[in-house]
Amino acid sequence: MAEKKVGICLLGCGTVGAGVVSILREQRAMLRQRTGIDFELRHVVVKGPEDYPANAAELPMSTDAGAAIDNADTDIVVELIGGTAVAGTFVERALRAGKPVVTANKALLATRGVELFKIARGSKTCVAFEASAGGGIPIIDAISRGLAANRIDALLGIVNGTCNFILTKMTQNGWSYAEALKQAQRLGFAEANPAMDVQGRDAAQKLAILAGLAFNCRVTEKDIFVSGIDTLDAMDIQFARDLGYVIKLLAIAERKEGSRLSLRVHPSLVHKDDVLADVSGSFNAISVYSHALGHALWYGRGAGRMPTASAVVADIISVAQGIQGLLFNQMQILMDVVPPVSVQPFEQLESRYYIRLSAKDQPGVLAQVTAILGRHGISVASINQREGGEDRTVPVVITTHKSREGAVQLALKEIDALGTILRPTVCVRIVDQPEEFAAA
Ligand code: HSE
């Protein structure tokens, strides 16, 4: 049989792009032997000559993306530019020309995913986006195909490597948030402007993609309650540890009554025996509970040059073999063909809570606080006043039994209005593992 040749047009040659170049060139023979397809890198397009990579002389470089996309020798367009404006224009151009697109761009999917998927369908082509969530971990393939026989009940993920690195350093070295962030930036995990990561938006965009596939509905970033790690105090990490927990930024999607989903990204106290507690540094992990398989965990590198390139090249292969085209057009799971999600209002969440008060050390304060909690139906599981706070205050750490988010927020407002509470109360949700094989 004649060997099939597939021409690749790579848009963007930054960190991940360089990894894709490296795999396509250095593993070309292995890929050919494994797939029967010869993947030829025919265009590598960057914005200007100043963006040329060090090995530009060996590559088919250019700065005219439109011409490269339109060229008859381009079979698959790989978008690794990032951002939404320029990337969106080129992705749209490729799809309108009937060329399949591989992208890692979760922000583009979050803002224009529905529209672009519709264009792809209209042009009888497809989009592949494995690298948009979980980096190199093949979680999108796992949810879309591997778990296709399952009703998924819950998905809990550590999906932002930067945040996990920062929290790990704060936990293991006792560093402040600022110290840990600085180190993350020095090592190249965190961007110079780390807002998307540390404020939880990157994790929310990934959760929107994963939850949409897992629960067959269209999830957007604004459906998700988001709270980042940028306001965490090292003190809470130490107190949590004393209670047997570690703090992780979790992205959570859980099926609730009436097929509504609880969707949230927030710092969470995870018990030290929980598998997610051991996910350290820049690693990601996604824990999925489904009715037939039960609990399964996907663990690996969620960012970085070669791990992300691994997912991008897997998509290139899947597109070239026609697998992605079949999946894209036949499975009714993508955001443009599923109904919008029905979200459980956040105040209806039932959770356990870690609460830290900064209280004046004087008679009657704890009685005032527990009276307010009791009035809102919040049952205290443990209470511990620590010695030696700053500004004449003492930290009081409370954990609760399962309570309603709305009631907790009302109670904290009242508590913070007390003259004996000198700084805003800190509240972190305690996340217990969902029940495996929940009732049908
Ligand atoms: N900045 C992300 C992270 C990787 O730290 O996980 C890209 O989504």
Side-chain angles (χ1 to χ4, degrees):
M1 200 172 68
E3 191 181 68
K4 181 172 160 186
K5 280 191 184 296
V6 167
I8 308 296
C9 167
L10 180 62
L11 305 180
C13 196
T15 306
V16 178
V20 171
V21 168
S22 147
I23 294 178
L24 289 178
R25 296 176 81 217
E26 287 154 33
Q27 306 305 327
R28 187 169 174 176
M30 181 201 72
L31 294 177
R32 193 166 51 209
Q33 191 260 333
R34 187 174 273 179
T35 65
I37 299 171
D38 186 23
F39 293 96
E40 272 189 10
L41 190 56
R42 293 188 178 144
H43 306 271
V44 178
V45 188
V46 295
K47 197 163 151 208
E50 65 283 2
D51 296 320
Y52 275 26
N55 58 346
E58 303 161 17
L59 301 175
M61 299 300 305
S62 76
T63 55
D64 186 346
I69 292 167
D70 296 344
N71 196 312
D73 71 358
T74 289
D75 297 308
I76 300 176
V77 174
V78 180
E79 183 277 306
L80 295 173
I81 300 168
T84 54
V86 175
T89 307
F90 293 143
V91 167
E92 182 176 345
R93 182 169 182 150
L95 294 175
R96 287 201 188 280
K99 301 200 178 182
V101 170
V102 172
T103 181
N105 193 334
K106 63 204 146 299
L108 182 62
L109 295 180
T111 51
R112 294 188 58 194
V114 170
E115 175 203 349
L116 293 170
F117 283 18
K118 281 190 175 145
I119 295 171
R121 276 182 217 284
S123 303
K124 304 218 170 326
T125 188
C126 65
V127 181
F129 49 96
E130 181 63 70
S132 64
I137 306 171
I139 184 65
I140 288 179
D141 189 55
I143 292 174
S144 312
R145 298 201 297 151
L147 294 180
N150 286 262
R151 181 199 70 225
I152 295 178
D153 293 321
L155 181 152
L156 292 84
I158 293 172
V159 292
N160 186 275
T162 303
C163 289
N164 205 45
F165 176 86
I166 291 172
L167 292 175
T168 302
K169 289 294 170 199
M170 290 173 77
T171 305
Q172 293 179 353
N173 301 1
W175 290 356
S176 68
Y177 167 76
E179 281 174 303
L181 172 62
K182 210 184 272 169
Q183 174 76 342
Q185 285 171 325
R186 253 199 306 267
L187 294 176
F189 294 122
E191 311 275 340
N193 177 358
M196 284 295 287
D197 289 319
V198 299
Q199 291 173 4
R201 287 198 56 199
D202 175 85
Q205 288 176 348
K206 291 169 179 166
L207 182 65
I209 293 169
L210 297 178
L213 293 169
F215 296 93
N216 263 58
C217 54
R218 186 164 64 251
V219 179
T220 65
E221 202 184 332
K222 67 177 173 12
D223 294 318
I224 301 171
F225 169 86
V226 183
S227 163
I229 64 162
D230 46 342
T231 53
L232 275 181
D233 195 312
M235 186 193 316
D236 294 306
I237 291 189
Q238 300 311 324
F239 292 165
R241 194 168 64 179
D242 296 346
L243 288 164
Y245 294 91
V246 290
I247 298 188
K248 295 287 180 192
L249 183 76
L250 292 191
I252 303 172
E254 272 180 297
R255 190 188 297 281
K256 298 291 180 186
E257 272 162 36
S259 296
R260 292 192 304 178
L261 293 190
S262 169
L263 291 165
R264 49 214 170 92
V265 170
H266 53 66
S268 310
L269 263 72
V270 173
H271 194 270
K272 64 176 171 32
D273 294 337
D274 188 316
V275 282
L276 293 178
D278 288 331
V279 177
S280 298
S282 64
F283 275 89
N284 282 195
I286 298 116
S287 191
V288 179
Y289 289 77
S290 53
H291 91 279
L293 174 63
H295 182 203
L297 180 77
W298 283 263
Y299 168 90
R301 293 197 181 272
R305 178 172 173 246
M306 296 309 283
T308 311
S310 158
V312 170
V313 176
D315 269 351
I316 293 173
I317 294 168
S318 169
V319 167
Q321 290 181 321
I323 296 168
Q324 182 63 15
L326 283 177
L327 184 84
F328 189 87
N329 286 292
Q330 293 186 2
M331 295 285 278
Q332 298 298 303
I333 57 173
L334 296 176
M335 58 179 88
D336 61 320
V337 294
V338 290
V341 64
S342 169
V343 184
Q344 181 195 54
F346 190 60
E347 59 276 12
Q348 288 178 17
L349 175 73
E350 299 255 336
S351 177
R352 297 197 294 125
Y353 293 83
Y354 162 100
I355 292 167
R356 173 173 58 81
L357 315 165
S358 301
K360 265 192 192 167
D361 196 3
Q362 67 180 46
V365 178
L366 290 184
Q368 285 177 315
V369 168
T370 50
I372 293 173
L373 292 175
R375 212 165 345 101
H376 286 276
I378 299 159
S379 174
V380 170
S382 74
I383 186 160
N384 185 3
Q385 179 171 316
R386 326 279 304 207
E387 287 184 1
E390 298 158 22
D391 312 338
R392 299 168 291 109
T393 68
V394 282
V396 177
V397 174
I398 295 172
T399 60
T400 73
H401 290 294
K402 253 194 180 163
S403 311
R404 251 192 190 210
E405 177 77 29
V408 171
Q409 292 312 328
L410 285 176
L412 294 188
K413 223 182 233 172
E414 276 185 45
I415 288 170
D416 281 353
L418 294 171
T420 46
I421 300 298
L422 299 188
R423 263 176 271 138
T425 294
V426 171
C427 169
V428 187
R429 292 153 196 95
I430 301 173
V431 174
D432 299 306
Q433 283 297 315
E435 193 186 331
E436 200 185 20
F437 301 117

